[in-house]
Each structure stands twice: as C-alpha cells, then as structure tokens.
C-alpha cells in the first residue's frame, strides 16, 4: 500500500545514502485538471515555477521544476491535465501529455483526497496502465481538506482501482502541498525510482523554462484571477520584449517588459480591462510583484489587451501564440 508516514533515517542509513550512487531523472505529475499538480511541483521545488489557479486546465507549457538534493536531482515535468478535448488547443494539450508520459522515469498520478474517484480518473488510470515500464506513484493531494476516515477510504479506493485495471502502484502517498505535509517523503520515494546519473542541470537552477515564458505565465495567472467562467481558456499572453532600460545607474536597474494579453472576442476586452482600466491595473500590479521576485530586479510592466479571434481553434493563431 505504499508509504504512509515520514520517519528520520538512522545513522547507518545516512552513511549508506552517502555511499549510494547519485541519481537524476524526470518525473511528471498527471491527473484530472485541478488535481493539485502545479501546487505540488511548486512545493517540491520550494519556489513558484508552475502557474497555479483554482480553474481547471490552466497549465499549457511543460514547466520543469528542479529539486536539488545531495544524492539526487529530481526534474519535475508539469503537464496540462488530460481531458476530453473540445478544441484544437485541447487536442494539442493531450498530445503533449502522452508524449511526456512516454519519456519520463516515473509518473505521479495526483488524486485529490476531497473528491471521490470519477470517470476522469479511470480514463487516466487506463491510459497509464498501458505504459508498462514506467513506475507509477499514486499521490493523494489536498489531504488538509479531509478527515482521516475520508482519507483512509480514498487510499483503499485507489489501491482497489489499481487492482481492477492491472495498474501496479510503486507507492501510494498522501500529501498536502498547502500544509507542507509529507512533501519531503514524496521526494524520498521518487528518488530511488530514478536512474543512476550525474546531475543534469547546474546546481541552483530551478527550472529550464525560458524567462520570457515564465513571465508570460505569471501575467496570465494574474489575469485569470477573478474573471468570469467563460474566460480561462480564452486568455493567452505573449511577452514581446524584455529590455534593461538605458541610462540607469548600475545600482538602480529597471527592466522594461512589454506584453500583450490576447483574448478571443472583442466582448471579452471589457472583462479584462475592467471599469476605467481598474482590472488590468490590478493584473499588472499583482504579476509585477511575482516577476520581480522571479527575476530579482525592478520591473516596468507595459500591458496591452488584443483580440486574436477564436485563437483556440485556429492553427495559425495557435502557432503565433506559442502552441
């Protein structure tokens, strides 16, 4: 049934770990949209590298977060949630997911503790069962939202699901990314499933995602907050340029960032901009804080809202917006 509790390693185990070969490899978290995959990635890395939102389907790029340990390097690939596609964008996102699954060393299947297993979970579990060689870890997320009895029932249901469809779990681990419970234990369990390898990224790197993409994601995350239900998929952000401002003293640098927020219909423009531009201003203020924390420099953010008609269904527009 997999690991259930954290414990301190004994001194002999610590000595053994010191002699153990270094491991490095790729893990990806999969699951229904809004199963807590991005929040988990950020908790393991210890910094915000993946966009989080309480709306499903907000992750569009495979963001890699890198967890450095003395004995291992765990590279987390964050994929969009697998779902039944309704648009060309949806189909492309699903293709990204399946391609990623076939290339990683271990797969973590995220299942929220506060939701009973549903058809979406079964659909993903069957897809995972077809990938024979890669070890799968069931990660029960959001345990802070349920009582211990509900959690126990969920663990049993997940164990049962594996038996029903012939999917063998390497581990079943309950975690809470928000409450920081068992996050270290999850990393402890993923590391032995990685191949023996020297580090694949320099010490200190937290992600290999280009800075411009991460900046665009932070702006999109801020734009998603508090907008009406019809907008989450309709927003795309493209950073046009990031340039240090000239004629600034060395001790007072300023980075100029020009970005466009794209929506699909002219009627959505007002929702994003808000009365007297109030909403767009909030988006700018909020995202600028996160961007400055990410880049470690003061930023001047210039945002414009543009219409790219029905971009989710138009291959040419999708390419232009980076999909």
């Amino acid at each position: 049934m997999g690991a259930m509790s954290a414990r301190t390693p004994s001194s002999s185990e610590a000595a053994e770990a010191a002699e153990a070969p270094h491991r490095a490899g790729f893990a990806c978290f999969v699951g229904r949209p809004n199963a807590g995959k991005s929040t988990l990635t950020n908790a393991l890395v210890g910094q915000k590298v993946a966009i989080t939102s309480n709306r499903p389907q907000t992750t569009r790029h495979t963001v890699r977060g890198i967890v450095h340990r003395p004995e291992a390097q765990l590279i987390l690939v964050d994929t969009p949630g697998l779902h039944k596609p309704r648009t060309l964008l949806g189909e492309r996102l699903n293709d990204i997911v399946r391609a990623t699954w076939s290339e990683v060393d271990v797969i973590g299947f995220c299942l929220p503790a506060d939701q009973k297993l549903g058809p979406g979970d079964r659909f993903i579990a069957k897809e995972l069962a077809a990938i024979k060689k890669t070890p799968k870890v069931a990660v029960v997320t959001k345990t802070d939202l349920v009582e211990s009895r509900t959690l126990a029932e969920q663990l049993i249901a997940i164990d049962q699901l594996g038996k029903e469809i012939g999917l063998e779990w390497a581990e079943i681990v309950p975690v809470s990314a928000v409450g920081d419970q068992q996050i270290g234990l999850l990393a402890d369990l993923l590391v032995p499933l990685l191949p023996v390898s020297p580090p694949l990224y320099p010490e200190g790197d937290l992600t290999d995602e280009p800075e411009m993409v991460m900046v665009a994601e932070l702006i999109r995350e801020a734009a998603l907050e508090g907008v009406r239900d019809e907008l989450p998929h309709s927003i795309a952000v493209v950073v046009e340029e990031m340039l240090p401002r000239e004629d600034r003293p060395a001790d007072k640098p300023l980075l100029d960032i020009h970005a466009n927020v794209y929506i699909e219909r002219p009627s959505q423009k007002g929702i994003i901009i808000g009365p007297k531009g109030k909403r767009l201003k909030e988006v700018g203020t909020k995202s600028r804080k996160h961007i400055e924390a990410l880049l470690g420099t003061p930023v001047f953010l210039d945002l414009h809202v543009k219409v790219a008609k029905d971009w989710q269904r138009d291959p040419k527009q999708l390419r232009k917006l980076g999909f």
Side-chain angles (χ1 to χ4, degrees), residues 12-235:
S12 62
E13 281 175 325
E16 225 172 272
E19 288 162 31
H22 189 280
R23 292 180 181 272
F26 295 83
C28 82
F29 293 128
V30 305
R32 277 185 290 143
N34 210 14
K37 302 180 290 294
S38 297
T39 309
L40 192 56
T41 297
N42 290 336
L44 278 160
V45 176
Q47 192 169 323
K48 195 180 185 83
V49 292
I51 173 175
T52 54
S53 163
N54 57 3
R55 299 181 173 284
Q57 245 357 80
T58 48
T59 305
R60 290 192 192 142
H61 294 275
T62 46
V63 175
R64 290 185 175 90
I66 304 163
V67 182
H68 299 273
R69 290 183 150 210
E71 80 289 4
Q73 196 177 69
L74 175 65
I75 298 129
L76 301 167
V77 185
D78 186 40
T79 56
L82 195 75
H83 64 299
K84 292 202 163 53
R86 289 191 298 273
T87 61
L88 180 61
L89 173 64
E91 282 170 30
R92 290 212 180 154
L93 293 177
N94 277 358
D95 291 343
I96 292 172
V97 177
R98 291 194 185 93
T100 306
W101 291 3
S102 62
E103 291 162 6
V104 296
D105 301 299
V106 55
I107 297 171
F109 184 12
C110 294
L111 298 138
D114 63 332
Q115 296 165 34
K116 282 196 163 27
L117 298 184
D121 298 314
R122 283 178 181 279
F123 170 66
I124 295 169
K126 281 180 182 162
E127 294 251 345
L128 287 179
I131 303 167
K132 295 293 177 205
K133 286 183 185 161
T134 317
K136 291 101 185 162
V137 173
V139 186
V140 187
T141 58
K142 309 186 184 188
T143 57
D144 53 302
L145 301 179
V146 298
E147 289 175 1
S148 53
R149 189 176 152 195
T150 310
L151 177 58
E153 285 166 4
Q154 186 74 322
L155 294 170
I156 292 162
I158 291 165
D159 189 44
Q160 202 53 45
L161 173 67
K163 291 193 175 104
E164 271 171 40
I165 59 172
L167 172 56
E168 197 181 319
W169 302 117
E171 304 279 357
I172 299 177
V173 200
V175 302
S176 165
V178 175
D180 197 20
Q181 287 159 348
Q182 309 234 97
I183 296 297
L185 175 69
L186 175 59
D188 293 343
L189 296 170
L190 292 173
V191 163
L193 302 171
L194 302 176
V196 170
S197 158
L200 302 171
Y201 287 90
E203 180 70 45
D205 280 14
L206 295 179
T207 178
D208 71 349
E209 193 74 2
E211 281 182 347
M212 278 173 108
V213 175
M214 291 188 71
V215 167
E217 286 289 271
L218 290 171
I219 296 167
R220 194 165 67 90
E221 178 176 32
L224 276 172
E225 266 176 48
V227 293
R228 285 194 217 144
D229 290 340
E230 76 267 26
L231 273 189
H233 307 314
S234 302
I235 298 174

Side-chain angles (χ1 to χ4, degrees), residues 292-318:
E292 289 180 339
L294 173 77
L295 304 177
T297 183
V299 161
F300 172 79
L301 184 58
D302 177 38
L303 287 183
H304 293 272
V305 180
K306 297 193 170 185
V307 179
K309 198 168 169 357
D310 291 333
W311 65 263
Q312 288 189 72
R313 291 175 171 77
D314 179 346
K316 213 158 88 185
Q317 300 264 29
L318 280 172

